[in-house]
Amino acid sequence: MKKLSADYICPVSSDPIKEGVIVLDDKGTILSIDQRSDHDSTSIEIHKGIIVPGFINTHCHLELSHMKGKVATGTSLIPFISSVVKFRDIPKEEILAAIDQADQEMYDNGIVAVGDISNQTDTVACKQKSKINYYTFVEMFDFLQEDWANNEFEKYLAVYNEHSNENGNKKSCVPHAPYSVSSSLFDLINKTNDDTKTISIHNQETPDENQLFLNKKGGFLDFFKSFNIPFDQFKPNGKPSIHYALAHMNSNSPTLFVHNTMSTAADIQFAQQWNDKTYWATCPNANLYIENRLPNYQAFIDNNARLTIGTDSLTSNWQLSILEEMKTISRFQSYVPFHTLLQWATLNGAEALGYQDTLGSIEVGKTPGLNLLNLDENFTLQQGSSSTRLV
């Protein structure tokens, strides 16, 4: 057995415990949660700071790890996407080495599960040997071309079949974004997944996305034209983009909307009425990297939305650290309390990815991983706040 203690234990599922003790077996399973007075002090490993569960990263693009520092910041989404396309033709060994390095970085940063977007099979080998649980979202798109749907679906289905759902890993087929998936491709994706699978979709990341569906204006028109994608047949529905997505998605599946920088209170309410298993992934550092903006977190809090935290990829971030994402939110929207951020970073993410039985909170019977944060009893995140993986 191993006994760990700190100034505070933050189980997430219950109130913080001052000078609590976590007793674990050699596999990291929690056997009991006690007070120091219940144990011989010489048998306890005592730390300064607070112990929290392992972090859940609900949105990443591991296969893009080789592009760190290669795409300019602050360009807005459409130029960013165009830049990403240009860096796909990279030697395979360089791509695979960067993937392994990024996986290790996330592990070292206390991340225990990742919702990972995959368009290719480059991450298959890494995920099979990783110490992290991966929920692979095999992402499909046909750029709203109904007659492309079958061919694109078959192409990405082959990628899906290569990814594993063993050793704690999971997978599902998912749509990329409202502006890139036709109604026909939505139908094919829905038929592939059962109601238990989590579906991820990029949502309202840029003003141009809403403009496209509201009145067929904005930067996506030039984007489609630059790739010679026909777009004359597109008819706007006069509503924000999320309405198009919800009209074509399965309302019985846990659904993870990603980024949401332009989502309003009305959008949040509409989605949560559509599905009571709705989650919202925020990737603040990526939002700043690409669009120089953050979501209005107060709108989500006011509507009891279940937020989760992601890092996005090293293409759009400086590191893969959930703690750094928490610090960014705390720095720019400091009204969000630490314990709220911690729930977004752990238990909410575990629930969104279906790992809540083993991860996300410090409870007897779980194997959540444990991180030590160098915070005091005020639980205030500072620029120098750091995390050390204990389990």
Side-chain angles (χ1 to χ4, degrees), residues 145-165:
Q145 306 300 303
E146 300 284 349
D147 55 344
W148 294 8
N150 285 314
N151 285 340
E152 294 303 301
F153 175 76
E154 291 299 327
K155 179 175 72 175
Y156 291 113
L157 185 62
V159 174
Y160 172 83
N161 289 334
E162 289 295 315
H163 281 275
S164 172
N165 59 356

Side-chain angles (χ1 to χ4, degrees), residues 144-287:
L144 297 172
Q145 306 300 303
E146 300 284 349
D147 55 344
W148 294 8
N150 285 314
N151 285 340
E152 294 303 301
F153 175 76
E154 291 299 327
K155 179 175 72 175
Y156 291 113
L157 185 62
V159 174
Y160 172 83
N161 289 334
E162 289 295 315
H163 281 275
S164 172
N165 59 356
E166 299 176 348
N167 300 321
N169 293 332
K170 305 181 183 184
K171 62 180 180 177
S172 59
C173 296
V174 304
H176 168 250
Y179 58 81
S180 61
V181 179
S182 70
S183 59
S184 296
L185 185 52
F186 267 118
D187 289 342
L188 292 167
I189 291 170
N190 290 341
K191 292 174 182 176
T192 304
N193 300 310
D194 61 45
D195 292 350
T196 66
K197 292 192 175 183
T198 300
I199 306 303
S200 166
I201 183 169
H202 291 78
N203 177 62
Q204 295 176 304
E205 192 175 354
T206 178
D208 295 280
E209 182 178 330
N210 280 335
Q211 288 177 5
L212 180 66
F213 286 90
L214 287 167
N215 50 33
K216 200 176 179 178
K217 293 183 179 180
F220 275 110
L221 297 181
D222 288 336
F223 174 80
F224 284 106
K225 185 177 180 180
S226 69
F227 287 96
N228 296 315
I229 298 172
F231 208 61
D232 292 341
Q233 83 289 350
F234 176 78
K235 304 294 183 185
N237 60 13
K239 299 177 181 179
S241 62
I242 194 171
H243 287 256
Y244 169 75
L246 297 185
H248 295 287
M249 296 175 73
N250 180 1
S251 62
N252 295 316
S253 295
T255 304
L256 184 64
F257 295 98
V258 179
H259 292 306
N260 317 302
T261 41
M262 304 307 301
S263 299
T264 65
D267 296 328
I268 297 165
Q269 293 163 9
F270 185 79
Q272 296 190 159
Q273 290 167 1
W274 167 80
N275 184 346
D276 62 3
K277 297 184 288 291
T278 294
Y279 295 85
W280 308 85
T282 183
C283 306
N285 282 321
N287 297 154

Side-chain angles (χ1 to χ4, degrees), residues 303-376:
N303 286 284
N304 297 314
R306 288 169 293 199
L307 272 84
T308 71
I309 297 180
T311 61
D312 216 334
S313 74
L314 286 172
T315 316
S316 58
N317 207 332
W318 299 270
Q319 69 281 307
L320 301 177
S321 166
I322 293 299
L323 178 60
E324 290 301 320
E325 304 298 325
M326 294 169 66
K327 287 161 63 174
T328 294
I329 297 172
S330 185
R331 183 162 63 251
F332 290 101
Q333 297 193 29
S334 59
Y335 58 83
V336 184
F338 168 78
H339 293 289
T340 298
L341 290 174
L342 183 60
Q343 180 161 343
W344 295 0
T346 56
L347 187 54
N348 283 8
E351 291 176 351
L353 300 182
Y355 288 115
Q356 68 273 18
D357 290 344
T358 55
L359 307 177
S361 61
I362 300 174
E363 297 182 67
V364 173
K366 287 192 173 186
T367 53
L370 298 173
N371 296 325
L372 177 70
L373 306 186
N374 63 337
L375 305 185
D376 61 22

Side-chain angles (χ1 to χ4, degrees), residues 293-305:
R293 72 175 84 233
L294 290 173
N296 175 12
Y297 294 114
Q298 191 64 58
F300 291 91
I301 293 171
D302 289 345
N303 286 284
N304 297 314

